[in-house]
Amino acid sequence: MEVNRFSLLPVVVLCALTAARFSYAAGNKADVVKHLNRFNKPSVKSIKSPDGDVIDCVHISHQSAFDHPSLKNHEIQMRPNYHPEGMNYESMKISSENQRPITQLWHVNGNCPKGTIPVRRTRKKDILRASSVKKYGRKSSLSTVAHPDSIDLDLINQSGHQHAIAYVEGEFFGAKATMNVWDPQIQQTNEFSLSQIWLLGGSFASDLNSIEAGWQVSPDLYGDNNTRFFTYWTSDAYQSTGCYNLLCSGFIQINNEIALGASISPISKYHSSQYDISLLIWKDPEQGNWWMQFGNGKVLGYWPGSLFSYLTDSASMIQWGGEVVNSASDGQHTTTQMGSGHFPEEGFGKSSYFRNVQIVDGSNSLRAPKDIATFTEQPNCYDVQMGRNDGWGSYIYYGGPGRNPNCP
């Protein structure tokens, strides 16, 4: 019987596609396993958090920071040589109704021993939520930093990132602020809402250096809507360097109490108790490393100066405020909230804030910033206002609901 070779084409194509899919799946599975082994170092103790996280207590010398080529022979600096002058150790809370300090949920079930650091365990499902294995733990390179000198609505629509910030330009060696912590509602899983401090160096092109820290809600990254403490860094405008938390080599942690990427508790409530955290990031003038402190004197660790180009010297811009992703999936602005989800004019107890906003100057002193300005791409969606008083020093209120009658 003669067989029409053309009738076999669909079968051949189907087989080829099946083989390609199988090959991709096998390769992808191998990549996932490889990444899991890289993220999850051997631990001396593991703690199950009430929110479902597992916190691994990893020996300080085994952390993933030392996978970085430039840090192979790095000697851990266990304390900074200098703190900025003018430090006043603020409490991590501001509430007359509830005296419980802000902490992280995993501490309900245990603590990591001295000589270890707490690392949030990465699971297979975490990596599979990312668009690719390589992109897991990284921001998009499209306009994730507010560019106050240029409002390009086409770029906003393309990138989907929107901001409401205060900023200063000049030469800086650190930044500090106290921010209240909220649980903004996220419309869909590929969007996020965060509030943070940015320390930026270089231009807004492909050479941008950035160090970032604050709190965020990111369903894609964490698999839930919990409010989590986070950090980020990049030395090439989010293209191929840097990541969230400890999801790549770079940041060296020395603290055994705070887990990067872990849930924060308690959270501020509208017209009720307010809870805030203080963050300080500063450059050690002797070693050149960028240190981070959380709350009441908890020095967490540092970004080695060797990770950066421009930030090996100083930061040229500091930003404080919020950022959201607006995917506009249904052709309308997202309803993802920034901060408390309420506009700045509602004030204390209702809006989100940064208080005691400060910079570290060339003499390694903390001081209020001069010539502070504000920026937002679409003030009818998310807005920002600033002020100053004796109790809070320089402060900003910021945030908003996203889609509303004035923000279609």
Side-chain angles (χ1 to χ4, degrees):
M1 181 177 67
E2 184 178 349
V3 177
N4 184 342
R5 66 180 185 278
F6 294 105
S7 67
L8 294 177
L9 274 177
V11 178
V12 172
V13 170
L14 180 61
C15 290
L17 288 172
T18 303
R21 278 199 297 267
F22 179 80
S23 173
Y24 172 78
N28 194 47
K29 184 177 180 181
D31 281 347
V32 170
V33 171
K34 183 172 127 185
H35 275 67
L36 285 174
N37 290 336
R38 183 165 60 83
F39 295 140
N40 300 321
K41 303 295 185 183
S43 62
V44 301
K45 178 181 178 180
S46 294
I47 300 165
K48 182 72 181 289
S49 175
D51 62 358
D53 281 358
V54 176
I55 302 298
D56 292 320
C57 304
V58 176
H59 194 277
I60 191 169
S61 63
H62 298 161
Q63 60 183 293
S64 61
F66 303 115
D67 294 339
H68 196 282
S70 72
L71 301 176
K72 289 293 185 186
N73 300 311
H74 183 84
E75 184 175 340
I76 300 175
Q77 191 177 350
M78 292 305 296
R79 62 183 59 84
N81 292 308
Y82 297 92
H83 270 82
E85 298 292 327
M87 291 283 299
N88 56 346
Y89 294 103
E90 295 178 68
S91 170
M92 287 187 294
K93 62 184 182 298
I94 175 171
S95 172
S96 58
E97 299 177 29
N98 191 333
Q99 296 304 307
R100 198 156 53 105
I102 278 187
T103 184
Q104 291 186 304
L105 285 176
W106 64 275
H107 281 297
V108 171
N109 293 328
N111 299 286
C112 282
K114 290 194 180 301
T116 69
I117 64 165
V119 180
R120 180 181 182 268
R121 184 182 298 176
T122 300
R123 288 172 279 203
K124 180 180 177 181
K125 62 183 180 182
D126 295 325
I127 297 177
L128 293 178
R129 281 193 304 272
S131 57
S132 73
V133 173
K134 288 185 177 179
K135 290 184 179 178
Y136 174 65
R138 300 182 185 275
K139 287 187 179 185
S140 160
S141 60
L142 286 171
S143 188
T144 59
V145 173
H147 194 336
D149 298 327
S150 172
I151 302 180
D152 186 336
L153 291 178
D154 289 335
L155 187 59
I156 293 170
N157 293 332
Q158 178 191 358
S159 73
H161 289 255
Q162 291 183 234
H163 310 80
I165 62 162
Y167 69 97
V168 287
E169 296 180 89
E171 185 179 39
F172 309 106
F173 298 86
K176 186 175 186 287
T178 299
M179 65 186 86
N180 58 347
V181 181
W182 295 86
D183 55 349
Q185 298 302 300
I186 311 298
Q187 180 178 312
Q188 54 191 60
T189 58
N190 66 332
E191 297 178 336
F192 66 64
S193 181
L194 60 76
S195 298
Q196 67 175 40
I197 301 172
W198 289 260
L199 292 92
L200 305 171
S203 67
F204 284 84
S206 60
D207 60 356
L208 180 73
N209 290 196
S210 183
I211 290 174
E212 307 165 21
W215 59 262
Q216 69 180 161
V217 178
S218 179
D220 253 5
L221 184 59
Y222 303 106
D224 57 31
N225 289 332
N226 291 354
T227 303
R228 296 170 178 273
F229 174 60
F230 82 98
T231 63
Y232 201 96
W233 72 273
T234 181
S235 61
D236 63 354
Y238 311 95
Q239 293 179 102
S240 61
T241 63
C243 60
Y244 282 108
N245 307 321
L246 301 178
L247 295 176
C248 66
S249 54
F251 182 77
I252 297 174
Q253 185 160 339
I254 61 168
N255 182 283
N256 68 331
E257 297 180 54
I258 302 296
L260 303 188
S263 300
I264 299 172
S265 178
I267 302 296
S268 301
K269 299 297 180 186
Y270 185 78
H271 207 18
S272 185
S273 299
Q274 299 297 294
Y275 293 92
D276 55 26
I277 58 175
S278 295
L279 292 178
L280 166 65
I281 300 170
W282 79 101
K283 185 182 179 185
D284 183 329
E286 186 175 292
Q287 296 287 336
N289 301 323
W290 288 88
W291 286 85
M292 177 171 62
Q293 178 174 294
F294 178 100
N296 210 4
K298 289 183 172 65
V299 177
L300 299 191
Y302 59 95
W303 291 270
S306 60
L307 297 174
F308 303 103
S309 51
Y310 293 100
L311 286 176
T312 54
D313 298 319
S314 62
S316 54
M317 180 181 285
I318 310 291
Q319 299 179 355
W320 301 263
E323 176 185 350
V324 301
V325 172
N326 169 33
S327 60
S329 58
D330 54 4
Q332 295 180 292
H333 196 285
T334 184
T335 57
T336 288
Q337 298 173 333
M338 180 189 291
S340 68
H342 293 264
F343 283 115
E345 54 264 29
E346 293 196 42
F348 182 77
K350 300 176 181 179
S351 181
S352 42
Y353 62 75
F354 284 75
R355 62 185 176 91
N356 301 111
V357 168
Q358 295 176 296
I359 57 92
V360 179
D361 63 19
S363 64
N364 197 37
S365 297
L366 275 165
R367 62 171 175 81
K370 297 177 182 177
D371 302 320
I372 190 167
T374 60
F375 169 81
T376 182
E377 291 95 345
Q378 292 181 277
N380 289 333
C381 307
Y382 312 105
D383 205 2
V384 55
Q385 295 177 358
M386 63 181 187
R388 180 173 176 79
N389 62 35
D390 291 340
W392 278 22
S394 295
Y395 65 85
I396 68 166
Y397 281 106
Y398 69 98
R403 186 192 307 168
N404 67 77
N406 297 319
C407 172

